[in-house]
Amino acid sequence: MSSQVVVEAPGTHRVEEHTPREPGPGEALVAVHAVGICGSDREVYQGNRPEGYVRYPLTPGHEWSGTVAEVGAGVPAGLVGRKVVGEGFRNCQVCDRCHAGETTLCTHGYEETGFTQPGAMAGTLTLPARLLHVLPDDADLTAAALLEPAACIAAAAIKGNALPGERVAVVGTGTLGMFAVQFLKAVSPAELLVVGTRKDREALSRQFGATDFRLKDRELPAGFDVVIETAGSASAARTAASLLRRGGRLVLTGIPAPGADGLDPTDLVVRQLEVHTVFGAPPDAWAHTVRVFGAGLLDPLPLVTHELPLTEFAQAIELVGAGDPKVGKVLLRP
């Protein structure tokens, strides 16, 4: 017998018996190994996720890893027994953006695992098999549970298009920031700066490949070719832009609160900055992430500080929002 978390409404949840849903045509049933919790899961629980981006009652869980247990009609039987992760966006596959591979821009509306569709905070997850990405047989499934946020940063790294020998920087030292450091390190930059608000993140930043670490409120260098912002505040976006050379490339991945005073458009135009944004990860970013992870160039495990049983969902939510510097990535184990 397995359990599942159900958030009935903001601030109200229960843990109940879970009954797997048999996979239909084109679907796969995955036995969940681990599921991560991020700030958006707290939004779901607290009720401050934007309207249209959550549907109650809901089983959360969009960061997960597992093993395929069963497949439906039309799905290759060889998937059974394979270790997998999976895309969250339930795109339509027929609009022009989906045909272009930009599935996170699907024009048929927003649907995503763990937000509007049942998520992985359960013993099993049934989803379209086309969303699965197969991992190497020797993959560590605990580490792989973090590949969803890594894929979002892979999308940022692809858009930033950092070249060997360029000067690159990351603003933000949370999970996304540490993944950004690893992706940028893999392209052999001449310099890799990390800017944050927590001095205690310097050692981990350097472990992942940073050549320099600065606190955000101190004097910062400039002239960087590519900067990836991961902190999710308007001030972080402004800091990231200030680091760039004229004509430099900025990628924003954080989502500030509504009404934030953001970038100065005059500064963007006069300095001819190239600005990109990321919301979610399209298939090419997922495929890139799995390749980099399989090659040993991405190490998520040092980011995990807590693993709790699924029944401790409430405690896990509190840990994520406590602001304790000792709390990194929190995983739930069904």
Side-chain angles (χ1 to χ4, degrees):
M1 180 184 298
S2 63
S3 300
Q4 67 181 12
V5 172
V6 177
V7 178
E8 285 282 0
T12 303
H13 82 282
R14 66 179 187 273
V15 179
E16 63 182 19
E17 182 180 346
H18 170 70
T19 301
R21 181 174 71 80
E22 291 295 313
E27 292 185 324
L29 173 68
V30 177
V32 177
H33 174 82
V35 55
I37 295 181
C38 79
S40 56
D41 295 305
R42 275 182 58 83
E43 291 178 352
V44 168
Y45 187 63
Q46 294 175 336
N48 51 15
R49 187 162 173 83
E51 185 178 355
Y53 288 86
V54 64
R55 188 180 301 133
Y56 301 100
L58 173 72
T59 294
H62 62 287
E63 304 177 1
W64 58 270
S65 64
T67 303
V68 177
E70 187 178 345
V71 296
V75 179
L79 275 177
V80 176
R82 299 302 304 272
K83 296 178 179 179
V84 293
V85 289
E87 299 175 33
F89 281 77
R90 304 291 186 90
N91 54 86
C92 75
Q93 292 188 285
V94 297
C95 72
D96 63 336
R97 292 302 86 204
C98 283
H99 280 305
E102 298 176 341
T103 55
T104 61
L105 298 175
C106 178
T107 59
H108 282 220
Y110 171 80
E111 294 286 344
E112 186 175 2
T113 299
F115 296 108
T116 64
Q117 297 290 331
M121 290 187 190
T124 67
L125 173 64
T126 303
L127 74 168
R130 61 182 172 80
L131 299 177
L132 298 178
H133 289 260
V134 178
L135 301 170
D137 290 338
D138 61 352
D140 185 325
L141 282 176
T142 300
L146 276 68
L147 292 189
E148 191 277 341
C152 295
I153 292 300
I158 290 170
K159 288 188 175 183
N161 192 30
L163 302 175
E166 287 193 313
R167 299 179 69 218
V168 300
V170 174
V171 176
T173 58
T175 298
L176 297 182
M178 294 300 94
F179 278 134
V181 174
Q182 295 183 65
F183 275 109
L184 290 175
K185 173 62 177 177
V187 301
S188 301
E191 182 179 347
L192 175 45
L193 168 70
V194 174
V195 177
T197 59
R198 290 172 47 186
K199 182 66 174 177
D200 62 293
R201 298 296 272 185
E202 179 173 4
L204 191 58
S205 298
R206 292 187 182 276
Q207 176 183 328
F208 287 142
T211 60
D212 192 8
F213 182 94
R214 304 288 181 95
L215 292 175
K216 183 183 170 187
D217 59 356
R218 304 292 173 85
E219 183 177 353
L220 299 175
F224 287 84
D225 299 286
V226 178
V227 179
I228 297 179
E229 177 276 325
T230 67
S233 70
S235 64
R238 291 193 295 271
T239 296
S242 73
L243 296 171
L244 286 164
R245 62 167 173 82
R246 294 190 67 197
R249 307 184 295 283
L250 172 63
V251 188
L252 305 175
T253 70
I255 303 178
D261 183 13
L263 300 173
D264 179 358
T266 300
D267 180 59
L268 299 181
V269 173
V270 171
R271 296 173 60 211
Q272 301 182 60
L273 299 183
E274 185 178 320
V275 182
H276 299 273
T277 61
V278 168
F279 178 65
D284 63 338
W286 272 97
H288 181 55
T289 300
V290 170
R291 283 194 301 269
V292 172
F293 178 65
L297 299 174
L298 199 64
D299 185 11
L301 277 181
L303 301 174
V304 178
T305 58
H306 294 75
E307 295 184 55
L308 302 172
L310 197 63
T311 52
E312 299 298 325
F313 169 76
Q315 179 185 346
I317 288 290
E318 289 182 9
L319 280 171
V320 171
D324 186 341
K326 295 181 181 179
V327 178
K329 198 65 183 179
V330 178
L331 298 183
L332 294 176
R333 299 289 292 270

PDB file of all heavy atoms in Angstrom, residues 107-136:
ATOM      1  N   THR A 107       0.055  27.203 -27.212  1.00  0.00           N
ATOM      2  CA  THR A 107      -1.020  28.196 -27.273  1.00  0.00           C
ATOM      3  C   THR A 107      -2.377  27.655 -26.837  1.00  0.00           C
ATOM      4  O   THR A 107      -3.354  28.391 -26.818  1.00  0.00           O
ATOM      5  CB  THR A 107      -1.145  28.754 -28.708  1.00  0.00           C
ATOM      6  OG1 THR A 107      -1.427  27.681 -29.613  1.00  0.00           O
ATOM      7  CG2 THR A 107       0.147  29.444 -29.133  1.00  0.00           C
ATOM      8  N   HIS A 108      -2.432  26.377 -26.483  1.00  0.00           N
ATOM      9  CA  HIS A 108      -3.705  25.782 -26.065  1.00  0.00           C
ATOM     10  C   HIS A 108      -3.920  25.854 -24.559  1.00  0.00           C
ATOM     11  O   HIS A 108      -4.796  25.165 -24.026  1.00  0.00           O
ATOM     12  CB  HIS A 108      -3.792  24.328 -26.547  1.00  0.00           C
ATOM     13  CG  HIS A 108      -4.140  24.222 -28.008  1.00  0.00           C
ATOM     14  ND1 HIS A 108      -5.002  23.277 -28.492  1.00  0.00           N
ATOM     15  CD2 HIS A 108      -3.750  24.950 -29.071  1.00  0.00           C
ATOM     16  CE1 HIS A 108      -5.118  23.427 -29.812  1.00  0.00           C
ATOM     17  NE2 HIS A 108      -4.361  24.437 -30.174  1.00  0.00           N
ATOM     18  N   GLY A 109      -3.140  26.659 -23.886  1.00  0.00           N
ATOM     19  CA  GLY A 109      -3.338  26.832 -22.454  1.00  0.00           C
ATOM     20  C   GLY A 109      -2.336  26.074 -21.615  1.00  0.00           C
ATOM     21  O   GLY A 109      -1.651  25.167 -22.077  1.00  0.00           O
ATOM     22  N   TYR A 110      -2.274  26.442 -20.357  1.00  0.00           N
ATOM     23  CA  TYR A 110      -1.301  25.883 -19.423  1.00  0.00           C
ATOM     24  C   TYR A 110      -1.833  24.626 -18.740  1.00  0.00           C
ATOM     25  O   TYR A 110      -2.897  24.640 -18.129  1.00  0.00           O
ATOM     26  CB  TYR A 110      -0.948  26.935 -18.370  1.00  0.00           C
ATOM     27  CG  TYR A 110      -0.118  26.419 -17.223  1.00  0.00           C
ATOM     28  CD1 TYR A 110       1.255  26.251 -17.360  1.00  0.00           C
ATOM     29  CD2 TYR A 110      -0.714  26.109 -16.003  1.00  0.00           C
ATOM     30  CE1 TYR A 110       2.017  25.786 -16.296  1.00  0.00           C
ATOM     31  CE2 TYR A 110       0.041  25.649 -14.933  1.00  0.00           C
ATOM     32  CZ  TYR A 110       1.410  25.490 -15.091  1.00  0.00           C
ATOM     33  OH  TYR A 110       2.166  25.027 -14.048  1.00  0.00           O
ATOM     34  N   GLU A 111      -1.080  23.544 -18.863  1.00  0.00           N
ATOM     35  CA  GLU A 111      -1.329  22.322 -18.115  1.00  0.00           C
ATOM     36  C   GLU A 111       0.026  21.764 -17.702  1.00  0.00           C
ATOM     37  O   GLU A 111       0.921  21.629 -18.549  1.00  0.00           O
ATOM     38  CB  GLU A 111      -2.076  21.277 -18.957  1.00  0.00           C
ATOM     39  CG  GLU A 111      -3.495  21.660 -19.354  1.00  0.00           C
ATOM     40  CD  GLU A 111      -4.471  21.570 -18.199  1.00  0.00           C
ATOM     41  OE1 GLU A 111      -4.152  20.934 -17.173  1.00  0.00           O
ATOM     42  OE2 GLU A 111      -5.569  22.155 -18.322  1.00  0.00           O
ATOM     43  N   GLU A 112       0.194  21.454 -16.412  1.00  0.00           N
ATOM     44  CA  GLU A 112       1.490  20.956 -15.952  1.00  0.00           C
ATOM     45  C   GLU A 112       1.318  19.966 -14.809  1.00  0.00           C
ATOM     46  O   GLU A 112       0.506  20.168 -13.901  1.00  0.00           O
ATOM     47  CB  GLU A 112       2.388  22.119 -15.501  1.00  0.00           C
ATOM     48  CG  GLU A 112       3.798  21.672 -15.145  1.00  0.00           C
ATOM     49  CD  GLU A 112       4.730  22.813 -14.810  1.00  0.00           C
ATOM     50  OE1 GLU A 112       4.290  23.981 -14.802  1.00  0.00           O
ATOM     51  OE2 GLU A 112       5.925  22.544 -14.546  1.00  0.00           O
ATOM     52  N   THR A 113       2.110  18.912 -14.857  1.00  0.00           N
ATOM     53  CA  THR A 113       2.146  17.915 -13.790  1.00  0.00           C
ATOM     54  C   THR A 113       2.431  18.590 -12.453  1.00  0.00           C
ATOM     55  O   THR A 113       3.359  19.387 -12.339  1.00  0.00           O
ATOM     56  CB  THR A 113       3.236  16.868 -14.078  1.00  0.00           C
ATOM     57  OG1 THR A 113       2.936  16.195 -15.298  1.00  0.00           O
ATOM     58  CG2 THR A 113       3.332  15.855 -12.945  1.00  0.00           C
ATOM     59  N   GLY A 114       1.628  18.274 -11.451  1.00  0.00           N
ATOM     60  CA  GLY A 114       1.852  18.802 -10.118  1.00  0.00           C
ATOM     61  C   GLY A 114       1.209  20.142  -9.853  1.00  0.00           C
ATOM     62  O   GLY A 114       1.267  20.637  -8.720  1.00  0.00           O
ATOM     63  N   PHE A 115       0.584  20.728 -10.870  1.00  0.00           N
ATOM     64  CA  PHE A 115      -0.069  22.028 -10.700  1.00  0.00           C
ATOM     65  C   PHE A 115      -1.524  21.996 -11.172  1.00  0.00           C
ATOM     66  O   PHE A 115      -2.422  22.418 -10.460  1.00  0.00           O
ATOM     67  CB  PHE A 115       0.697  23.120 -11.439  1.00  0.00           C
ATOM     68  CG  PHE A 115       2.076  23.338 -10.904  1.00  0.00           C
ATOM     69  CD1 PHE A 115       3.189  22.927 -11.617  1.00  0.00           C
ATOM     70  CD2 PHE A 115       2.271  23.935  -9.670  1.00  0.00           C
ATOM     71  CE1 PHE A 115       4.459  23.109 -11.125  1.00  0.00           C
ATOM     72  CE2 PHE A 115       3.547  24.126  -9.156  1.00  0.00           C
ATOM     73  CZ  PHE A 115       4.647  23.710  -9.891  1.00  0.00           C
ATOM     74  N   THR A 116      -1.745  21.510 -12.373  1.00  0.00           N
ATOM     75  CA  THR A 116      -3.117  21.344 -12.863  1.00  0.00           C
ATOM     76  C   THR A 116      -3.432  19.882 -13.133  1.00  0.00           C
ATOM     77  O   THR A 116      -4.590  19.528 -13.337  1.00  0.00           O
ATOM     78  CB  THR A 116      -3.341  22.151 -14.158  1.00  0.00           C
ATOM     79  OG1 THR A 116      -2.496  21.628 -15.190  1.00  0.00           O
ATOM     80  CG2 THR A 116      -3.036  23.628 -13.940  1.00  0.00           C
ATOM     81  N   GLN A 117      -2.408  19.046 -13.171  1.00  0.00           N
ATOM     82  CA  GLN A 117      -2.557  17.594 -13.347  1.00  0.00           C
ATOM     83  C   GLN A 117      -1.911  16.888 -12.154  1.00  0.00           C
ATOM     84  O   GLN A 117      -0.984  17.432 -11.544  1.00  0.00           O
ATOM     85  CB  GLN A 117      -1.886  17.143 -14.647  1.00  0.00           C
ATOM     86  CG  GLN A 117      -2.498  17.732 -15.903  1.00  0.00           C
ATOM     87  CD  GLN A 117      -3.872  17.179 -16.200  1.00  0.00           C
ATOM     88  OE1 GLN A 117      -4.179  16.045 -15.840  1.00  0.00           O
ATOM     89  NE2 GLN A 117      -4.708  17.972 -16.869  1.00  0.00           N
ATOM     90  N   PRO A 118      -2.373  15.676 -11.802  1.00  0.00           N
ATOM     91  CA  PRO A 118      -1.803  14.974 -10.652  1.00  0.00           C
ATOM     92  C   PRO A 118      -0.288  14.864 -10.737  1.00  0.00           C
ATOM     93  O   PRO A 118       0.274  14.542 -11.782  1.00  0.00           O
ATOM     94  CB  PRO A 118      -2.472  13.590 -10.721  1.00  0.00           C
ATOM     95  CG  PRO A 118      -3.758  13.834 -11.445  1.00  0.00           C
ATOM     96  CD  PRO A 118      -3.457  14.904 -12.454  1.00  0.00           C
ATOM     97  N   GLY A 119       0.368  15.145  -9.601  1.00  0.00           N
ATOM     98  CA  GLY A 119       1.822  15.121  -9.548  1.00  0.00           C
ATOM     99  C   GLY A 119       2.376  13.877  -8.889  1.00  0.00           C
ATOM    100  O   GLY A 119       1.671  12.884  -8.683  1.00  0.00           O
ATOM    101  N   ALA A 120       3.658  13.961  -8.532  1.00  0.00           N
ATOM    102  CA  ALA A 120       4.420  12.786  -8.120  1.00  0.00           C
ATOM    103  C   ALA A 120       4.506  12.585  -6.615  1.00  0.00           C
ATOM    104  O   ALA A 120       5.238  11.709  -6.161  1.00  0.00           O
ATOM    105  CB  ALA A 120       5.832  12.862  -8.712  1.00  0.00           C
ATOM    106  N   MET A 121       3.771  13.378  -5.821  1.00  0.00           N
ATOM    107  CA  MET A 121       3.774  13.120  -4.380  1.00  0.00           C
ATOM    108  C   MET A 121       2.799  11.989  -4.084  1.00  0.00           C
ATOM    109  O   MET A 121       1.781  12.135  -3.409  1.00  0.00           O
ATOM    110  CB  MET A 121       3.429  14.394  -3.611  1.00  0.00           C
ATOM    111  CG  MET A 121       4.530  15.432  -3.679  1.00  0.00           C
ATOM    112  SD  MET A 121       4.231  16.851  -2.613  1.00  0.00           S
ATOM    113  CE  MET A 121       5.544  17.945  -3.183  1.00  0.00           C
ATOM    114  N   ALA A 122       3.142  10.837  -4.635  1.00  0.00           N
ATOM    115  CA  ALA A 122       2.331   9.625  -4.540  1.00  0.00           C
ATOM    116  C   ALA A 122       3.225   8.440  -4.849  1.00  0.00           C
ATOM    117  O   ALA A 122       4.363   8.600  -5.312  1.00  0.00           O
ATOM    118  CB  ALA A 122       1.160   9.692  -5.514  1.00  0.00           C
ATOM    119  N   GLY A 123       2.700   7.258  -4.630  1.00  0.00           N
ATOM    120  CA  GLY A 123       3.499   6.067  -4.910  1.00  0.00           C
ATOM    121  C   GLY A 123       3.797   5.892  -6.381  1.00  0.00           C
ATOM    122  O   GLY A 123       4.855   5.376  -6.758  1.00  0.00           O
ATOM    123  N   THR A 124       2.854   6.308  -7.235  1.00  0.00           N
ATOM    124  CA  THR A 124       3.050   6.191  -8.682  1.00  0.00           C
ATOM    125  C   THR A 124       2.545   7.450  -9.371  1.00  0.00           C
ATOM    126  O   THR A 124       1.768   8.230  -8.810  1.00  0.00           O
ATOM    127  CB  THR A 124       2.294   4.980  -9.269  1.00  0.00           C
ATOM    128  OG1 THR A 124       0.883   5.206  -9.163  1.00  0.00           O
ATOM    129  CG2 THR A 124       2.671   3.689  -8.560  1.00  0.00           C
ATOM    130  N   LEU A 125       2.981   7.617 -10.606  1.00  0.00           N
ATOM    131  CA  LEU A 125       2.543   8.725 -11.443  1.00  0.00           C
ATOM    132  C   LEU A 125       2.254   8.179 -12.838  1.00  0.00           C
ATOM    133  O   LEU A 125       3.103   7.496 -13.427  1.00  0.00           O
ATOM    134  CB  LEU A 125       3.633   9.795 -11.528  1.00  0.00           C
ATOM    135  CG  LEU A 125       3.405  10.963 -12.492  1.00  0.00           C
ATOM    136  CD1 LEU A 125       2.206  11.794 -12.053  1.00  0.00           C
ATOM    137  CD2 LEU A 125       4.651  11.827 -12.584  1.00  0.00           C
ATOM    138  N   THR A 126       1.076   8.464 -13.349  1.00  0.00           N
ATOM    139  CA  THR A 126       0.723   8.061 -14.707  1.00  0.00           C
ATOM    140  C   THR A 126       0.702   9.293 -15.589  1.00  0.00           C
ATOM    141  O   THR A 126       0.045  10.287 -15.255  1.00  0.00           O
ATOM    142  CB  THR A 126      -0.660   7.372 -14.734  1.00  0.00           C
ATOM    143  OG1 THR A 126      -0.626   6.241 -13.846  1.00  0.00           O
ATOM    144  CG2 THR A 126      -1.005   6.894 -16.132  1.00  0.00           C
ATOM    145  N   LEU A 127       1.434   9.234 -16.700  1.00  0.00           N
ATOM    146  CA  LEU A 127       1.579  10.407 -17.573  1.00  0.00           C
ATOM    147  C   LEU A 127       1.843   9.967 -19.000  1.00  0.00           C
ATOM    148  O   LEU A 127       2.172   8.796 -19.243  1.00  0.00           O
ATOM    149  CB  LEU A 127       2.706  11.311 -17.079  1.00  0.00           C
ATOM    150  CG  LEU A 127       4.166  10.868 -17.303  1.00  0.00           C
ATOM    151  CD1 LEU A 127       5.108  12.036 -17.019  1.00  0.00           C
ATOM    152  CD2 LEU A 127       4.548   9.670 -16.458  1.00  0.00           C
ATOM    153  N   PRO A 128       1.714  10.879 -19.970  1.00  0.00           N
ATOM    154  CA  PRO A 128       2.033  10.524 -21.349  1.00  0.00           C
ATOM    155  C   PRO A 128       3.481  10.064 -21.477  1.00  0.00           C
ATOM    156  O   PRO A 128       4.408  10.745 -21.009  1.00  0.00           O
ATOM    157  CB  PRO A 128       1.798  11.835 -22.111  1.00  0.00           C
ATOM    158  CG  PRO A 128       0.798  12.575 -21.284  1.00  0.00           C
ATOM    159  CD  PRO A 128       1.166  12.254 -19.860  1.00  0.00           C
ATOM    160  N   ALA A 129       3.697   8.925 -22.108  1.00  0.00           N
ATOM    161  CA  ALA A 129       5.047   8.366 -22.228  1.00  0.00           C
ATOM    162  C   ALA A 129       5.960   9.268 -23.053  1.00  0.00           C
ATOM    163  O   ALA A 129       7.180   9.241 -22.882  1.00  0.00           O
ATOM    164  CB  ALA A 129       4.977   6.970 -22.856  1.00  0.00           C
ATOM    165  N   ARG A 130       5.391  10.097 -23.930  1.00  0.00           N
ATOM    166  CA  ARG A 130       6.215  10.987 -24.746  1.00  0.00           C
ATOM    167  C   ARG A 130       6.958  12.016 -23.909  1.00  0.00           C
ATOM    168  O   ARG A 130       7.919  12.630 -24.379  1.00  0.00           O
ATOM    169  CB  ARG A 130       5.340  11.709 -25.773  1.00  0.00           C
ATOM    170  CG  ARG A 130       4.258  12.584 -25.169  1.00  0.00           C
ATOM    171  CD  ARG A 130       3.375  13.236 -26.225  1.00  0.00           C
ATOM    172  NE  ARG A 130       2.227  13.915 -25.658  1.00  0.00           N
ATOM    173  CZ  ARG A 130       2.250  15.120 -25.102  1.00  0.00           C
ATOM    174  NH1 ARG A 130       3.398  15.792 -25.068  1.00  0.00           N
ATOM    175  NH2 ARG A 130       1.168  15.667 -24.604  1.00  0.00           N
ATOM    176  N   LEU A 131       6.532  12.207 -22.654  1.00  0.00           N
ATOM    177  CA  LEU A 131       7.191  13.178 -21.787  1.00  0.00           C
ATOM    178  C   LEU A 131       8.384  12.592 -21.040  1.00  0.00           C
ATOM    179  O   LEU A 131       9.124  13.333 -20.380  1.00  0.00           O
ATOM    180  CB  LEU A 131       6.185  13.736 -20.766  1.00  0.00           C
ATOM    181  CG  LEU A 131       4.975  14.474 -21.339  1.00  0.00           C
ATOM    182  CD1 LEU A 131       4.043  14.899 -20.218  1.00  0.00           C
ATOM    183  CD2 LEU A 131       5.412  15.669 -22.166  1.00  0.00           C
ATOM    184  N   LEU A 132       8.586  11.302 -21.135  1.00  0.00           N
ATOM    185  CA  LEU A 132       9.657  10.648 -20.380  1.00  0.00           C
ATOM    186  C   LEU A 132      11.020  10.829 -21.040  1.00  0.00           C
ATOM    187  O   LEU A 132      11.136  10.852 -22.263  1.00  0.00           O
ATOM    188  CB  LEU A 132       9.368   9.159 -20.232  1.00  0.00           C
ATOM    189  CG  LEU A 132       8.107   8.775 -19.460  1.00  0.00           C
ATOM    190  CD1 LEU A 132       7.958   7.253 -19.446  1.00  0.00           C
ATOM    191  CD2 LEU A 132       8.148   9.323 -18.036  1.00  0.00           C
ATOM    192  N   HIS A 133      12.042  10.918 -20.189  1.00  0.00           N
ATOM    193  CA  HIS A 133      13.426  10.907 -20.651  1.00  0.00           C
ATOM    194  C   HIS A 133      14.132   9.780 -19.898  1.00  0.00           C
ATOM    195  O   HIS A 133      14.151   9.756 -18.660  1.00  0.00           O
ATOM    196  CB  HIS A 133      14.115  12.243 -20.377  1.00  0.00           C
ATOM    197  CG  HIS A 133      13.614  13.349 -21.262  1.00  0.00           C
ATOM    198  ND1 HIS A 133      14.294  13.764 -22.382  1.00  0.00           N
ATOM    199  CD2 HIS A 133      12.484  14.097 -21.194  1.00  0.00           C
ATOM    200  CE1 HIS A 133      13.608  14.745 -22.975  1.00  0.00           C
ATOM    201  NE2 HIS A 133      12.519  14.958 -22.272  1.00  0.00           N
ATOM    202  N   VAL A 134      14.687   8.847 -20.660  1.00  0.00           N
ATOM    203  CA  VAL A 134      15.309   7.657 -20.077  1.00  0.00           C
ATOM    204  C   VAL A 134      16.713   7.988 -19.580  1.00  0.00           C
ATOM    205  O   VAL A 134      17.504   8.623 -20.283  1.00  0.00           O
ATOM    206  CB  VAL A 134      15.351   6.513 -21.103  1.00  0.00           C
ATOM    207  CG1 VAL A 134      16.050   5.295 -20.518  1.00  0.00           C
ATOM    208  CG2 VAL A 134      13.931   6.151 -21.539  1.00  0.00           C
ATOM    209  N   LEU A 135      17.015   7.502 -18.368  1.00  0.00           N
ATOM    210  CA  LEU A 135      18.321   7.724 -17.744  1.00  0.00           C
ATOM    211  C   LEU A 135      19.215   6.501 -17.947  1.00  0.00           C
ATOM    212  O   LEU A 135      18.730   5.403 -18.236  1.00  0.00           O
ATOM    213  CB  LEU A 135      18.134   7.962 -16.246  1.00  0.00           C
ATOM    214  CG  LEU A 135      17.257   9.153 -15.841  1.00  0.00           C
ATOM    215  CD1 LEU A 135      16.972   9.096 -14.344  1.00  0.00           C
ATOM    216  CD2 LEU A 135      17.934  10.465 -16.211  1.00  0.00           C
ATOM    217  N   PRO A 136      20.515   6.672 -17.779  1.00  0.00           N
ATOM    218  CA  PRO A 136      21.406   5.509 -17.807  1.00  0.00           C
ATOM    219  C   PRO A 136      21.012   4.498 -16.731  1.00  0.00           C
ATOM    220  O   PRO A 136      20.460   4.866 -15.683  1.00  0.00           O
ATOM    221  CB  PRO A 136      22.785   6.113 -17.508  1.00  0.00           C
ATOM    222  CG  PRO A 136      22.668   7.556 -17.914  1.00  0.00           C
ATOM    223  CD  PRO A 136      21.254   7.939 -17.610  1.00  0.00           C
TER     224      PRO A 136
END
